[in-house]
Amino acid sequence: MKKIVLIAGAVLLLGGGGAGAFFMMGGKDAPPAGGEHAAAGNATDSHGGGGHGAAPIQRPSEPIYLRMDDVTAPVMRGNKIRHYLFLSISLEMSSNSARDDAAVLKPRLQDAFLRELYSRTIATGDAAGNVDFEGMKQRLLKQARAVLGKDKVIDVLVTRAMRGAG
Protein backbone atom coordinates (compact mmCIF):
# COMPACT_ATOMS: atom_id res chain seq x y z
CA MET A 1 0.00 0.00 0.00
CA LYS A 2 2.87 2.37 0.79
CA LYS A 3 4.39 1.72 -2.65
CA ILE A 4 1.16 2.72 -4.41
CA VAL A 5 0.93 5.93 -2.37
CA LEU A 6 4.58 6.75 -3.10
CA ILE A 7 4.20 6.06 -6.82
CA ALA A 8 0.98 8.09 -7.02
CA GLY A 9 2.67 10.96 -5.13
CA ALA A 10 5.67 10.89 -7.45
CA VAL A 11 3.44 10.90 -10.55
CA LEU A 12 1.44 13.85 -9.19
CA LEU A 13 4.60 15.73 -8.26
CA LEU A 14 6.24 15.21 -11.66
CA GLY A 15 3.02 15.99 -13.54
CA GLY A 16 2.50 19.17 -11.55
CA GLY A 17 6.10 20.25 -12.08
CA GLY A 18 5.85 19.61 -15.82
CA ALA A 19 2.58 21.52 -16.08
CA GLY A 20 4.05 24.39 -14.06
CA ALA A 21 7.11 24.55 -16.32
CA PHE A 22 4.89 24.55 -19.42
CA PHE A 23 2.78 27.44 -18.12
CA MET A 24 5.80 29.42 -16.89
CA MET A 25 7.47 29.13 -20.32
CA GLY A 26 4.21 30.00 -22.03
CA GLY A 27 4.26 27.10 -24.48
CA LYS A 28 6.41 29.19 -26.84
CA ASP A 29 6.13 28.91 -30.60
CA ALA A 30 3.30 26.39 -30.78
CA PRO A 31 2.12 26.22 -34.40
CA PRO A 32 -1.36 27.65 -34.98
CA ALA A 33 -4.19 25.20 -35.66
CA GLY A 34 -5.59 24.92 -39.16
CA GLY A 35 -2.40 24.77 -41.24
CA GLU A 36 -1.41 27.28 -43.88
CA HIS A 37 -4.14 29.56 -45.17
CA ALA A 38 -4.68 30.97 -48.63
CA ALA A 39 -4.58 34.75 -48.85
CA ALA A 40 -7.32 35.09 -51.49
CA GLY A 41 -10.09 37.46 -50.53
CA ASN A 42 -8.57 38.51 -47.18
CA ALA A 43 -8.07 41.97 -45.79
CA THR A 44 -4.84 43.78 -46.55
CA ASP A 45 -2.25 45.27 -44.27
CA SER A 46 -2.85 48.89 -43.31
CA HIS A 47 0.91 49.53 -43.19
CA GLY A 48 1.35 48.87 -46.90
CA GLY A 49 4.51 47.44 -48.32
CA GLY A 50 6.85 50.12 -47.07
CA GLY A 51 5.31 53.26 -48.56
CA HIS A 52 7.07 53.11 -51.93
CA GLY A 53 4.13 52.03 -54.08
CA ALA A 54 4.55 48.36 -53.17
CA ALA A 55 1.45 46.19 -53.00
CA PRO A 56 0.05 45.66 -49.48
CA ILE A 57 0.71 42.34 -47.77
CA GLN A 58 -2.25 39.97 -47.82
CA ARG A 59 -3.39 38.80 -44.40
CA PRO A 60 -4.18 35.11 -43.88
CA SER A 61 -7.71 34.21 -42.75
CA GLU A 62 -6.35 33.43 -39.26
CA PRO A 63 -3.43 35.37 -37.74
CA ILE A 64 -0.06 33.62 -37.63
CA TYR A 65 2.33 34.79 -34.91
CA LEU A 66 5.96 34.23 -34.04
CA ARG A 67 6.78 34.98 -30.43
CA MET A 68 10.18 36.60 -30.01
CA ASP A 69 12.45 36.38 -26.98
CA ASP A 70 11.88 39.20 -24.50
CA VAL A 71 14.05 42.30 -24.98
CA THR A 72 15.11 45.16 -22.75
CA ALA A 73 15.14 48.70 -24.16
CA PRO A 74 16.60 51.79 -22.49
CA VAL A 75 14.45 54.91 -22.21
CA MET A 76 16.94 57.74 -22.58
CA ARG A 77 16.87 61.45 -21.84
CA GLY A 78 19.89 63.07 -23.40
CA ASN A 79 22.81 60.77 -22.67
CA LYS A 80 21.32 59.32 -19.49
CA ILE A 81 19.17 56.24 -19.10
CA ARG A 82 15.96 57.20 -17.24
CA HIS A 83 14.78 53.61 -16.91
CA TYR A 84 14.48 50.37 -18.82
CA LEU A 85 11.49 48.88 -20.57
CA PHE A 86 11.12 45.09 -20.61
CA LEU A 87 9.22 44.12 -23.77
CA SER A 88 7.51 41.00 -25.04
CA ILE A 89 7.20 41.14 -28.81
CA SER A 90 5.40 38.97 -31.36
CA LEU A 91 5.56 39.20 -35.13
CA GLU A 92 2.41 38.80 -37.20
CA MET A 93 3.45 36.73 -40.21
CA SER A 94 1.97 36.50 -43.71
CA SER A 95 2.04 32.68 -43.83
CA ASN A 96 3.15 29.57 -41.97
CA SER A 97 6.14 29.22 -44.29
CA ALA A 98 7.15 32.82 -43.50
CA ARG A 99 6.83 31.97 -39.80
CA ASP A 100 9.02 28.89 -40.22
CA ASP A 101 11.64 30.91 -42.13
CA ALA A 102 11.59 33.58 -39.42
CA ALA A 103 11.93 31.02 -36.62
CA VAL A 104 15.24 29.90 -38.14
CA LEU A 105 16.42 33.53 -38.27
CA LYS A 106 15.34 34.53 -34.74
CA PRO A 107 18.93 35.26 -33.60
CA ARG A 108 19.34 37.73 -36.50
CA LEU A 109 15.99 39.31 -35.67
CA GLN A 110 16.92 39.66 -31.99
CA ASP A 111 20.22 41.26 -32.97
CA ALA A 112 18.50 43.71 -35.35
CA PHE A 113 15.89 44.60 -32.72
CA LEU A 114 18.48 45.21 -29.99
CA ARG A 115 20.64 47.32 -32.30
CA GLU A 116 17.60 49.41 -33.24
CA LEU A 117 16.36 49.84 -29.67
CA TYR A 118 19.79 50.88 -28.39
CA SER A 119 20.65 53.12 -31.37
CA ARG A 120 18.29 55.92 -30.26
CA THR A 121 15.71 56.54 -27.59
CA ILE A 122 12.22 55.12 -27.65
CA ALA A 123 10.91 58.08 -25.62
CA THR A 124 8.52 60.60 -27.18
CA GLY A 125 10.76 63.57 -26.40
CA ASP A 126 8.39 65.22 -23.92
CA ALA A 127 9.46 66.09 -20.39
CA ALA A 128 7.54 63.13 -18.95
CA GLY A 129 9.67 60.62 -20.87
CA ASN A 130 6.71 58.70 -22.28
CA VAL A 131 7.39 55.81 -24.64
CA ASP A 132 6.61 56.23 -28.35
CA PHE A 133 5.14 52.77 -28.89
CA GLU A 134 3.93 53.45 -32.45
CA GLY A 135 7.32 54.82 -33.52
CA MET A 136 9.12 51.90 -31.85
CA LYS A 137 6.83 49.38 -33.57
CA GLN A 138 7.49 50.98 -36.97
CA ARG A 139 11.25 50.90 -36.38
CA LEU A 140 11.11 47.22 -35.38
CA LEU A 141 8.87 46.41 -38.37
CA LYS A 142 11.44 48.00 -40.67
CA GLN A 143 14.19 45.86 -39.11
CA ALA A 144 12.11 42.67 -39.33
CA ARG A 145 11.39 43.30 -43.00
CA ALA A 146 15.07 44.02 -43.65
CA VAL A 147 16.04 40.64 -42.14
CA LEU A 148 13.17 38.51 -43.48
CA GLY A 149 11.90 40.31 -46.58
CA LYS A 150 9.15 42.85 -47.10
CA ASP A 151 6.37 40.34 -47.81
CA LYS A 152 6.83 38.10 -44.73
CA VAL A 153 6.05 40.35 -41.74
CA ILE A 154 2.68 42.08 -41.48
CA ASP A 155 3.05 43.78 -38.10
CA VAL A 156 5.08 43.94 -34.88
CA LEU A 157 3.00 43.55 -31.73
CA VAL A 158 4.14 44.60 -28.27
CA THR A 159 2.33 42.10 -26.08
CA ARG A 160 3.79 43.24 -22.75
CA ALA A 161 5.77 46.22 -21.55
CA MET A 162 7.04 46.59 -18.02
CA ARG A 163 9.06 49.48 -16.68
CA GLY A 164 12.20 48.72 -14.72
CA ALA A 165 14.45 50.89 -12.58
CA GLY A 166 17.14 52.98 -14.24
mmCIF file of all heavy atoms in Angstrom, residues 131-152:
data_model
loop_
_atom_site.group_PDB
_atom_site.id
_atom_site.type_symbol
_atom_site.label_atom_id
_atom_site.label_comp_id
_atom_site.label_asym_id
_atom_site.label_seq_id
_atom_site.Cartn_x
_atom_site.Cartn_y
_atom_site.Cartn_z
ATOM 1 N N VAL A 131 6.873 56.692 -23.594
ATOM 2 C CA VAL A 131 7.394 55.814 -24.641
ATOM 3 C C VAL A 131 6.571 55.984 -25.916
ATOM 4 O O VAL A 131 5.342 55.978 -25.878
ATOM 5 C CB VAL A 131 7.372 54.344 -24.179
ATOM 6 C CG1 VAL A 131 7.808 53.407 -25.289
ATOM 7 C CG2 VAL A 131 8.250 54.170 -22.959
ATOM 8 N N ASP A 132 7.252 56.128 -27.043
ATOM 9 C CA ASP A 132 6.613 56.230 -28.350
ATOM 10 C C ASP A 132 6.443 54.815 -28.911
ATOM 11 O O ASP A 132 7.263 54.331 -29.682
ATOM 12 C CB ASP A 132 7.477 57.088 -29.281
ATOM 13 C CG ASP A 132 6.894 57.225 -30.671
ATOM 14 O OD1 ASP A 132 5.708 56.894 -30.876
ATOM 15 O OD2 ASP A 132 7.638 57.676 -31.572
ATOM 16 N N PHE A 133 5.359 54.148 -28.492
ATOM 17 C CA PHE A 133 5.142 52.767 -28.894
ATOM 18 C C PHE A 133 4.949 52.645 -30.407
ATOM 19 O O PHE A 133 5.486 51.735 -31.029
ATOM 20 C CB PHE A 133 3.950 52.156 -28.160
ATOM 21 C CG PHE A 133 4.281 51.694 -26.781
ATOM 22 C CD1 PHE A 133 3.938 52.472 -25.684
ATOM 23 C CD2 PHE A 133 4.952 50.516 -26.563
ATOM 24 C CE1 PHE A 133 4.258 52.058 -24.405
ATOM 25 C CE2 PHE A 133 5.271 50.088 -25.290
ATOM 26 C CZ PHE A 133 4.921 50.871 -24.203
ATOM 27 N N GLU A 134 4.175 53.544 -31.006
ATOM 28 C CA GLU A 134 3.932 53.446 -32.448
ATOM 29 C C GLU A 134 5.226 53.634 -33.237
ATOM 30 O O GLU A 134 5.506 52.901 -34.172
ATOM 31 C CB GLU A 134 2.865 54.462 -32.886
ATOM 32 C CG GLU A 134 2.359 54.214 -34.283
ATOM 33 C CD GLU A 134 1.795 52.811 -34.502
ATOM 34 O OE1 GLU A 134 1.121 52.269 -33.613
ATOM 35 O OE2 GLU A 134 2.042 52.246 -35.584
ATOM 36 N N GLY A 135 6.031 54.611 -32.848
ATOM 37 C CA GLY A 135 7.316 54.819 -33.515
ATOM 38 C C GLY A 135 8.248 53.628 -33.333
ATOM 39 O O GLY A 135 8.932 53.207 -34.275
ATOM 40 N N MET A 136 8.269 53.070 -32.122
ATOM 41 C CA MET A 136 9.117 51.903 -31.853
ATOM 42 C C MET A 136 8.663 50.711 -32.692
ATOM 43 O O MET A 136 9.484 50.004 -33.268
ATOM 44 C CB MET A 136 9.061 51.555 -30.365
ATOM 45 C CG MET A 136 9.866 50.320 -30.000
ATOM 46 S SD MET A 136 9.783 49.891 -28.255
ATOM 47 C CE MET A 136 8.047 49.604 -28.012
ATOM 48 N N LYS A 137 7.344 50.493 -32.774
ATOM 49 C CA LYS A 137 6.828 49.380 -33.571
ATOM 50 C C LYS A 137 7.209 49.541 -35.046
ATOM 51 O O LYS A 137 7.585 48.567 -35.700
ATOM 52 C CB LYS A 137 5.310 49.292 -33.421
ATOM 53 C CG LYS A 137 4.859 48.722 -32.088
ATOM 54 C CD LYS A 137 3.365 48.743 -31.932
ATOM 55 C CE LYS A 137 2.681 48.003 -33.041
ATOM 56 N NZ LYS A 137 1.246 47.812 -32.851
ATOM 57 N N GLN A 138 7.130 50.746 -35.572
ATOM 58 C CA GLN A 138 7.487 50.983 -36.974
ATOM 59 C C GLN A 138 8.972 50.735 -37.208
ATOM 60 O O GLN A 138 9.360 50.174 -38.236
ATOM 61 C CB GLN A 138 7.100 52.402 -37.397
ATOM 62 C CG GLN A 138 5.605 52.626 -37.497
ATOM 63 C CD GLN A 138 4.953 51.667 -38.479
ATOM 64 O OE1 GLN A 138 5.447 51.429 -39.574
ATOM 65 N NE2 GLN A 138 3.835 51.090 -38.072
ATOM 66 N N ARG A 139 9.803 51.144 -36.265
ATOM 67 C CA ARG A 139 11.252 50.903 -36.378
ATOM 68 C C ARG A 139 11.550 49.406 -36.364
ATOM 69 O O ARG A 139 12.374 48.913 -37.151
ATOM 70 C CB ARG A 139 11.982 51.605 -35.239
ATOM 71 C CG ARG A 139 12.007 53.121 -35.399
ATOM 72 C CD ARG A 139 12.469 53.851 -34.156
ATOM 73 N NE ARG A 139 13.693 53.347 -33.593
ATOM 74 C CZ ARG A 139 14.138 53.676 -32.376
ATOM 75 N NH1 ARG A 139 13.440 54.490 -31.600
ATOM 76 N NH2 ARG A 139 15.264 53.180 -31.916
ATOM 77 N N LEU A 140 10.887 48.664 -35.463
ATOM 78 C CA LEU A 140 11.109 47.217 -35.384
ATOM 79 C C LEU A 140 10.552 46.505 -36.614
ATOM 80 O O LEU A 140 11.149 45.532 -37.098
ATOM 81 C CB LEU A 140 10.499 46.649 -34.107
ATOM 82 C CG LEU A 140 11.141 47.119 -32.802
ATOM 83 C CD1 LEU A 140 10.427 46.522 -31.605
ATOM 84 C CD2 LEU A 140 12.625 46.807 -32.761
ATOM 85 N N LEU A 141 9.430 46.989 -37.147
ATOM 86 C CA LEU A 141 8.869 46.413 -38.369
ATOM 87 C C LEU A 141 9.844 46.590 -39.533
ATOM 88 O O LEU A 141 10.059 45.664 -40.321
ATOM 89 C CB LEU A 141 7.520 47.056 -38.690
ATOM 90 C CG LEU A 141 6.814 46.564 -39.957
ATOM 91 C CD1 LEU A 141 6.477 45.078 -39.848
ATOM 92 C CD2 LEU A 141 5.546 47.376 -40.195
ATOM 93 N N LYS A 142 10.442 47.743 -39.617
ATOM 94 C CA LYS A 142 11.436 48.000 -40.674
ATOM 95 C C LYS A 142 12.614 47.036 -40.557
ATOM 96 O O LYS A 142 13.083 46.481 -41.549
ATOM 97 C CB LYS A 142 11.918 49.451 -40.580
ATOM 98 C CG LYS A 142 12.910 49.837 -41.641
ATOM 99 C CD LYS A 142 13.305 51.297 -41.487
ATOM 100 C CE LYS A 142 14.344 51.666 -42.538
ATOM 101 N NZ LYS A 142 14.790 53.064 -42.374
ATOM 102 N N GLN A 143 13.082 46.792 -39.329
ATOM 103 C CA GLN A 143 14.193 45.863 -39.114
ATOM 104 C C GLN A 143 13.786 44.431 -39.445
ATOM 105 O O GLN A 143 14.549 43.690 -40.068
ATOM 106 C CB GLN A 143 14.691 45.952 -37.665
ATOM 107 C CG GLN A 143 15.354 47.253 -37.324
ATOM 108 C CD GLN A 143 16.564 47.516 -38.189
ATOM 109 O OE1 GLN A 143 17.369 46.632 -38.460
ATOM 110 N NE2 GLN A 143 16.686 48.751 -38.647
ATOM 111 N N ALA A 144 12.574 44.029 -39.037
ATOM 112 C CA ALA A 144 12.111 42.673 -39.325
ATOM 113 C C ALA A 144 12.008 42.447 -40.829
ATOM 114 O O ALA A 144 12.397 41.390 -41.342
ATOM 115 C CB ALA A 144 10.759 42.421 -38.660
ATOM 116 N N ARG A 145 11.506 43.432 -41.548
ATOM 117 C CA ARG A 145 11.393 43.299 -43.003
ATOM 118 C C ARG A 145 12.757 43.313 -43.676
ATOM 119 O O ARG A 145 12.944 42.669 -44.706
ATOM 120 C CB ARG A 145 10.491 44.399 -43.556
ATOM 121 C CG ARG A 145 9.035 44.157 -43.217
ATOM 122 C CD ARG A 145 8.131 45.224 -43.759
ATOM 123 N NE ARG A 145 6.722 44.868 -43.529
ATOM 124 C CZ ARG A 145 5.718 45.685 -43.720
ATOM 125 N NH1 ARG A 145 5.926 46.925 -44.148
ATOM 126 N NH2 ARG A 145 4.494 45.276 -43.504
ATOM 127 N N ALA A 146 13.717 44.022 -43.090
ATOM 128 C CA ALA A 146 15.073 44.019 -43.648
ATOM 129 C C ALA A 146 15.725 42.645 -43.498
ATOM 130 O O ALA A 146 16.449 42.190 -44.379
ATOM 131 C CB ALA A 146 15.928 45.086 -42.966
ATOM 132 N N VAL A 147 15.455 41.964 -42.380
ATOM 133 C CA VAL A 147 16.043 40.642 -42.135
ATOM 134 C C VAL A 147 15.307 39.558 -42.921
ATOM 135 O O VAL A 147 15.924 38.685 -43.518
ATOM 136 C CB VAL A 147 16.042 40.317 -40.626
ATOM 137 C CG1 VAL A 147 16.447 38.867 -40.380
ATOM 138 C CG2 VAL A 147 16.964 41.263 -39.874
ATOM 139 N N LEU A 148 13.967 39.612 -42.926
ATOM 140 C CA LEU A 148 13.168 38.512 -43.476
ATOM 141 C C LEU A 148 12.654 38.742 -44.893
ATOM 142 O O LEU A 148 12.328 37.793 -45.585
ATOM 143 C CB LEU A 148 11.960 38.251 -42.566
ATOM 144 C CG LEU A 148 12.283 37.867 -41.134
ATOM 145 C CD1 LEU A 148 11.018 37.810 -40.316
ATOM 146 C CD2 LEU A 148 13.022 36.546 -41.096
ATOM 147 N N GLY A 149 12.519 39.985 -45.299
ATOM 148 C CA GLY A 149 11.905 40.306 -46.583
ATOM 149 C C GLY A 149 10.618 41.074 -46.351
ATOM 150 O O GLY A 149 9.929 40.878 -45.344
ATOM 151 N N LYS A 150 10.279 41.939 -47.275
ATOM 152 C CA LYS A 150 9.146 42.848 -47.102
ATOM 153 C C LYS A 150 7.798 42.145 -47.069
ATOM 154 O O LYS A 150 6.855 42.645 -46.487
ATOM 155 C CB LYS A 150 9.147 43.901 -48.206
ATOM 156 C CG LYS A 150 10.290 44.853 -48.090
ATOM 157 C CD LYS A 150 10.206 45.937 -49.134
ATOM 158 C CE LYS A 150 11.387 46.868 -48.956
ATOM 159 N NZ LYS A 150 11.324 48.024 -49.811
ATOM 160 N N ASP A 151 7.684 40.992 -47.702
ATOM 161 C CA ASP A 151 6.375 40.335 -47.813
ATOM 162 C C ASP A 151 6.110 39.291 -46.727
ATOM 163 O O ASP A 151 5.092 38.619 -46.753
ATOM 164 C CB ASP A 151 6.240 39.690 -49.182
ATOM 165 C CG ASP A 151 7.295 38.624 -49.429
ATOM 166 O OD1 ASP A 151 8.360 38.670 -48.775
ATOM 167 O OD2 ASP A 151 7.071 37.754 -50.277
ATOM 168 N N LYS A 152 6.984 39.152 -45.737
ATOM 169 C CA LYS A 152 6.826 38.099 -44.734
ATOM 170 C C LYS A 152 6.224 38.582 -43.424
ATOM 171 O O LYS A 152 5.506 37.854 -42.766
ATOM 172 C CB LYS A 152 8.169 37.438 -44.450
ATOM 173 C CG LYS A 152 8.821 36.899 -45.710
ATOM 174 C CD LYS A 152 9.389 35.569 -45.516
ATOM 175 C CE LYS A 152 10.004 35.145 -46.845
ATOM 176 N NZ LYS A 152 10.151 33.758 -46.934
#
